[in-house]
Amino acid sequence: MVQDLPLFTIEEVERELQSHRYVAGRSLATAVFLALTLQKPLLLEGEAGVGKTEVAKVLADILDTRLIRLQCYEGIDVNNAVYEWAYARQMLHIRLLESAGADRAAMEREIFSPQFLVKRPLLQAIESDGARPPVLLIDEIDRSDDEFEAFLLELLSDFQISIPEIGTIKATVPPVVIITSNRTREIHDALKRRCLYFWIDYPSVDTEYAIVKARVPEVPDKLARQVSNFIGNTRRLDLYKLPGIAETLDWTRCLLALGERELEDGAVQATLGSIVKYQEDLERLRGEPARELLARAVNA
Amino acid sequence: MRGRTLTRNWLHFGRLLRGLGFDAGPARMLPFLRTLTAIDMSKSDDLQTAVRVHFGRRRDELALLDRALYAFLNSPGDVDAARAGSGTTAREEGPGAILGSRQLSVLDDSDAPDAQDLEVASYSRVEALRRRDFDGMTEEEMAEVRRLIRMMRVPAGVARSRRQRRGGDDRIDMRRLLRASLRYGGEPLVFPWRGPTVRPRPLVLLCDISGSMERYTRVLLNFAYAIQNASARVEAFVFATRLSRITRLLRSHDPDAALNRVMRTVEDWSGGTRIGEAIETFNRRYARRVLGHGATVVIISDGWDRGEPDQLKTAVLRLQRACHRLMAIREPAGRGALPQVLTTVARATGSLSASHAFTSVMTSRMNRVCPSPLPDIQVRASIHSIHARCHDRCESVACGQRPGRPGHRGQYLGQRSAAGRLADGHQPVGKNIRVGQRRVSRGRGVRAGSGNPQGRAISPISLRGQRRPGLDGRSQLRG
């Protein structure tokens, strides 16, 4: 039941994530630990830019294995997600066989053999034969449609895929599956039932400080502290889109690029566009409100 | 032995969760119990995370899960086993307990912002109101609702999906081409095609239930119920002073039960209207979640707004940018015409190209109604939206041209009633109607023509708005 993976305790998961520059709370470490232990897919939901996709990348690093990523979009189907035949090569091969005088049954066998199979991410993840299972990242599943979700149901419970011409391919070791969703629509309950669910929230000011320090090591302490205070207070405002961690990191890098050692009004006003991305929000922040936030961030 | 007791106690927890409406069947309980052997249960944080990852489905429910766990762990040791319904009489050790309805009600009284999304039995503070407004529907009304459901096509229009299907004319289906060519020794003789599918757009209803709309509230809810149950992709909200999401509450086979649930949960019946604020709340809290995949939004209101006009304007403009199309239906104050409007909609959408008929009926209504207290913006928003927002192409059945292009007429094809007038009272726009009718009456279809590049026959069915899959209804019906 408990898989032979290098991670045995929640503490170890937490430590490993930390050492790979991913600052996770204990609850996220617990969720990851359970996903690895129970071999269940982990469904991560959260606002955009809180580090959902990053979990999968870091996990692949930690497990020292391959990351296979499937970016979902509306209308994604078996051809794009699982497998497709290399039609042009098949056509050419038919010509060759024909000139060699092969009969039809032989031709069909030849044409639909694995050498003409183009493997897409899901098949790659299932077929992987290494000792270590790969990490399969199904990114932004909320962008796909119901049909694709229904297809995933079968895949995620049995980890097998059937190709009519070849047969059923079953994973020897099921991959570690991470699914992310931005919640632009609700994922169907049947899919959720097969997964462990975790909501990644915005971090606290202290956690955010740790994240900034881990991800942008060259940042001065003072600036990192002020940036996390500023962002923390910004998230209390009534904005259309609150800044995520991705925005915090971007902003920090922007400020560094401008040669700032600490927050000051001119630079803040000039770089507001890297924190909020809606015109209305920008209008709201620009000028006095930003100065107020700045004063609170500096004096905190 | 201890382990077994533990398991049994946690099974009570599962029952508690089921009582709260969570999915805690064996498919989830078994992995959960396995988890308990893998984690240190004395660490309550880890335990909480374990409960969340196994039973959580939505963020809104996580707080309720925490409270359930807290209540379960802190409940007194002596359990009324008979009430637990387990059939055993043994007293169990540890934290196992079944919460009585009183405790459940404590649980429900959640102050989480989205608590109204949860379908948890609750004691309502608006019981009196419910009795006054909603003491069950008359048989007549029930029949009306059922009729509406039967006729309902969701009037949100369709969108081209990237998903492909057999047939159509978009690109060659290589897989089938190869299969077919094997039959002829590798010679591609038969060319199978693939084409895009169309799917209905999601529809979002925002219904005004303020005091000035009081007498239509019931009709509105019936309408929302009917439309909700006719399609899976409908989100319904009601607002007066605040916005409530009623989508899940409406999902039921029994209209009475659904409407009663709404009555119990929504708190601002017959209050004042603050449309601007309600729409802004919608923009902030729900827009990103329910406007995906090109949704159409319909606001039904009489337009009596007590809020700030500027706020309304900003909110409407923003909403319009975020959705595929925004439509507003206004009830002319004091005329009592709204029920007819809705019936007209149902009738029109039952037989005509849905999105189009809906919009045209609505716009013409809006243009004719008496001077409205609503700022001009809303009318413009919706008219503008018909012509400009549909991928830059007029969705009018009879037109199908880009706005501003020579062929663009911007006219509509309404539903003809027995009297030969459009259902909304307008005279038909002669030519278009005649074209449509002639084709329909001929029944055998029409060949070729500029709007029919494939030279396919047009069946009468396609003219009735059930678009032939694979063909773009607009170009097909271009006059």
Side-chain angles (χ1 to χ4, degrees):
Chain A
M1 177 183 87
V2 175
Q3 204 190 326
D4 188 22
L5 281 167
L7 304 169
F8 288 116
T9 64
I10 300 171
E11 285 77 16
E12 269 174 38
V13 176
E14 208 174 357
R15 219 168 28 242
E16 284 291 327
L17 286 171
Q18 180 79 47
S19 72
H20 283 78
R21 303 201 302 160
Y22 191 98
V23 182
R26 184 173 173 93
S27 54
L28 178 56
T30 310
V32 170
F33 165 76
L34 288 177
L36 291 173
T37 315
L38 301 179
Q39 299 189 1
K40 274 193 147 213
L42 178 60
L43 171 62
L44 297 174
E45 276 196 335
E47 300 297 337
V50 289
K52 300 182 294 290
T53 305
E54 200 62 26
V55 171
K57 291 183 181 165
V58 168
L59 202 55
D61 268 359
I62 294 175
L63 300 175
D64 189 21
T65 178
R66 203 151 64 103
L67 174 71
I68 299 174
R69 177 175 181 165
L70 177 69
Q71 170 67 50
C72 295
Y73 53 85
E74 203 248 303
I76 188 171
D77 59 9
V78 171
N79 286 343
N80 310 109
V82 190
Y83 72 97
E84 193 165 23
W85 293 101
Y87 305 114
R89 284 177 52 217
Q90 279 177 320
M91 280 295 190
L92 287 174
H93 200 73
I94 290 179
R95 297 283 142 126
L96 281 178
L97 290 175
E98 206 182 21
S99 57
D103 66 19
R104 199 184 143 197
M107 210 190 267
E108 205 164 325
R109 259 198 317 280
E110 276 275 306
I111 291 300
F112 293 109
S113 62
Q115 59 167 321
F116 294 107
L117 197 62
V118 182
K119 292 171 190 163
R120 304 287 191 207
L122 293 182
L123 183 57
Q124 288 172 19
I126 293 285
E127 238 199 349
S128 181
D129 49 357
R132 278 191 293 268
V135 173
L136 171 63
L137 168 63
I138 302 177
D139 214 5
E140 302 191 336
I141 189 162
D142 50 329
R143 285 179 191 268
S144 72
D145 47 19
D146 298 344
E147 290 89 338
F148 185 68
E149 244 181 60
F151 169 78
L152 276 185
L153 285 184
E154 187 199 346
L155 182 85
L156 293 181
S157 44
D158 301 339
F159 290 108
Q160 66 177 32
I161 287 171
S162 34
I163 303 174
E165 292 90 349
I166 292 183
T168 302
I169 299 173
K170 191 167 170 51
T172 43
V173 199
V176 177
V177 183
I178 306 280
I179 304 174
T180 73
S181 160
N182 281 330
R183 225 169 49 137
T184 59
R185 70 179 174 87
E186 292 289 355
I187 308 304
H188 201 279
D189 281 354
L191 185 63
K192 285 186 172 172
R193 192 181 308 133
R194 283 160 176 81
C195 304
L196 299 176
Y197 175 85
F198 190 83
W199 172 264
I200 302 190
D201 220 334
Y202 292 122
S204 65
V205 171
D206 290 330
T207 316
E208 187 135 43
Y209 171 74
I211 296 172
V212 171
K213 288 300 284 179
R215 287 276 155 170
V216 194
E218 65 273 21
V219 69
D221 281 355
K222 195 168 179 189
L223 182 60
R225 180 55 72 184
Q226 289 176 349
V227 162
S228 359
N229 283 338
F230 189 98
I231 296 282
N233 287 327
T234 309
R235 290 205 188 108
R236 292 212 193 101
L237 297 179
D238 216 1
L239 299 175
Y240 281 118
K241 172 73 182 79
L242 299 178
I245 300 170
E247 274 83 15
T248 313
L249 297 177
D250 269 356
W251 193 39
T252 313
R253 291 192 190 106
C254 282
L255 292 169
L256 283 181
L258 292 176
E260 301 293 325
R261 307 291 298 169
E262 58 184 291
L263 286 187
E264 55 90 18
D265 190 44
V268 169
Q269 302 286 353
T271 51
L272 278 181
S274 56
I275 325 177
V276 289
K277 310 283 171 76
Y278 281 89
Q279 165 67 12
E280 289 91 338
D281 290 349
L282 211 52
E283 290 290 299
R284 224 110 178 241
L285 275 188
R286 191 172 283 147
E288 202 41 52
R291 267 191 284 282
E292 216 168 274
L293 284 171
L294 174 65
R296 274 160 66 196
V298 173
N299 299 328
Chain B
M1 188 56 222
R2 166 117 183 92
R4 197 181 298 164
T5 315
L6 206 63
T7 304
R8 205 177 309 148
N9 282 339
W10 282 106
L11 287 180
H12 286 320
F13 180 62
R15 206 167 301 149
L16 163 63
L17 289 185
R18 279 198 293 280
L20 287 171
F22 285 97
D23 173 10
R28 289 204 183 198
M29 280 311 283
L30 287 176
F32 175 65
L33 292 176
R34 277 199 345 228
T35 300
L36 295 182
T37 63
I39 65 171
D40 179 2
M41 284 207 297
S42 61
K43 291 200 171 106
S44 62
D45 283 357
D46 292 357
L47 195 55
Q48 180 182 333
T49 309
V51 170
R52 281 173 166 221
V53 297
H54 280 287
F55 300 107
R57 291 173 300 190
R58 272 170 285 281
R59 182 200 187 184
D60 328 330
E61 293 175 352
L62 297 181
L64 191 64
L65 269 180
D66 293 348
R67 294 169 83 129
L69 177 67
Y70 182 79
F72 175 70
L73 293 179
N74 292 294
S75 54
D78 57 330
V79 187
D80 186 353
R83 259 176 78 200
S86 62
T88 62
T89 49
R91 285 165 57 123
E92 289 162 10
E93 308 164 27
I98 286 301
L99 299 191
S101 55
R102 214 161 14 94
Q103 283 156 299
L104 280 178
S105 72
V106 174
L107 280 175
D108 315 331
D109 198 19
S110 159
D111 49 7
D114 283 354
Q116 66 261 30
D117 283 0
L118 303 175
E119 287 180 47
V120 179
S122 64
Y123 296 98
S124 171
R125 272 161 282 177
V126 287
E127 203 135 29
L129 258 177
R130 177 184 63 182
R131 290 224 182 82
R132 204 183 67 212
D133 283 344
F134 260 73
D135 39 7
M137 283 193 282
T138 62
E139 195 45 48
E140 212 170 287
E141 280 177 309
M142 288 282 272
E144 176 70 12
V145 170
R146 272 186 238 114
R147 203 173 58 81
L148 274 175
I149 295 177
R150 265 203 316 280
M151 297 173 71
M152 197 66 69
R153 302 281 181 283
V154 177
V158 290
R160 232 172 109 113
S161 164
R162 283 202 50 163
R163 182 166 289 282
Q164 299 247 323
R165 51 163 203 85
R166 286 174 174 207
D169 45 24
D170 206 38
R171 57 170 98 157
I172 292 177
D173 188 337
M174 286 300 285
R175 186 169 181 156
R176 284 198 294 145
L177 172 70
L178 203 85
R179 275 247 165 250
S181 64
L182 277 178
R183 200 170 300 161
Y184 307 108
E187 209 60 56
L189 292 179
V190 181
F191 285 83
W193 288 81
R194 288 160 67 80
T197 44
V198 290
R199 55 175 176 77
R201 288 183 182 279
L203 177 72
V204 178
L205 277 182
L206 299 174
C207 304
D208 187 344
I209 52 158
S210 61
S212 52
M213 291 283 282
E214 200 171 358
R215 57 207 188 111
Y216 310 115
T217 305
R218 188 128 129 203
V219 185
L220 269 182
L221 287 182
N222 282 354
F223 177 70
Y225 171 81
I227 210 161
Q228 160 97 56
N229 285 278
S231 160
R233 312 199 66 185
V234 176
E235 285 280 347
F237 294 82
V238 291
F239 64 89
T241 48
R242 40 172 288 200
L243 184 78
S244 319
R245 188 185 193 178
I246 55 170
T247 309
R248 282 176 178 271
L249 303 175
L250 284 179
R251 218 159 263 169
S252 158
H253 290 297
D254 177 7
D256 259 339
L259 297 197
N260 276 330
R261 256 199 318 242
V262 174
M263 281 312 287
R264 276 202 308 267
T265 323
V266 176
E267 279 169 357
D268 53 347
W269 295 107
S270 313
T273 330
R274 288 204 287 267
I275 308 180
E277 211 172 293
I279 296 179
E280 204 169 295
T281 314
F282 175 82
N283 284 341
R284 258 201 314 277
R285 294 235 327 253
Y286 299 103
R288 254 191 299 276
R289 281 156 64 190
V290 303
L291 291 187
H293 300 252
T296 295
V297 181
V298 177
I299 303 173
I300 305 178
S301 166
D302 59 357
W304 288 104
D305 186 19
R306 304 240 170 91
E308 291 286 315
D310 275 353
Q311 188 185 25
L312 175 60
K313 185 172 166 180
T314 327
V316 167
L317 279 175
R318 158 141 211 103
L319 176 58
Q320 195 199 338
R321 280 200 302 276
C323 65
H324 168 71
R325 193 176 351 166
L326 177 66
M327 297 189 263
I329 303 176
R330 282 188 301 175
E331 154 61 12
R335 285 210 188 157
L338 189 63
Q340 283 94 313
V341 174
L342 296 178
T343 323
T344 313
V345 171
R347 201 180 296 139
T349 52
S351 57
L352 269 175
S353 168
S355 65
H356 162 67
F358 191 77
T359 331
S360 65
V361 172
M362 286 317 134
T363 4
S364 63
R365 259 231 176 251
M366 282 191 308
N367 291 340
R368 288 184 322 121
V369 292
C370 52
S372 155
L374 252 196
D376 194 27
I377 184 71
Q378 228 168 335
V379 181
R380 271 198 288 120
S382 47
I383 294 177
H384 165 71
S385 64
I386 308 169
H387 294 311
R389 289 196 59 76
C390 317
H391 305 302
D392 262 339
R393 193 163 282 223
C394 178
E395 266 210 355
S396 168
V397 171
C399 174
Q401 267 296 348
R402 281 170 200 282
R405 286 288 188 82
H408 173 64
R409 289 184 293 261
Q411 291 154 342
Y412 57 85
L413 180 69
Q415 165 81 4
R416 206 182 255 264
S417 70
R421 310 180 109 226
L422 290 179
D424 57 14
H426 271 223
Q427 282 298 340
V429 192
K431 189 180 165 198
N432 303 324
I433 288 288
R434 277 204 306 278
V435 171
Q437 296 258 322
R438 198 175 65 230
R439 285 183 181 177
V440 172
S441 62
R442 251 201 215 163
R444 251 171 274 118
V446 187
R447 284 218 157 253
S450 61
N452 189 12
Q454 284 82 37
R456 286 170 194 273
I458 297 179
S459 75
I461 291 182
S462 65
L463 277 175
R464 294 228 178 86
Q466 291 151 11
R467 291 177 178 176
R468 284 168 53 103
L471 267 182
D472 185 348
R474 290 193 299 271
S475 62
Q476 179 190 359
L477 294 173
R478 208 177 292 157

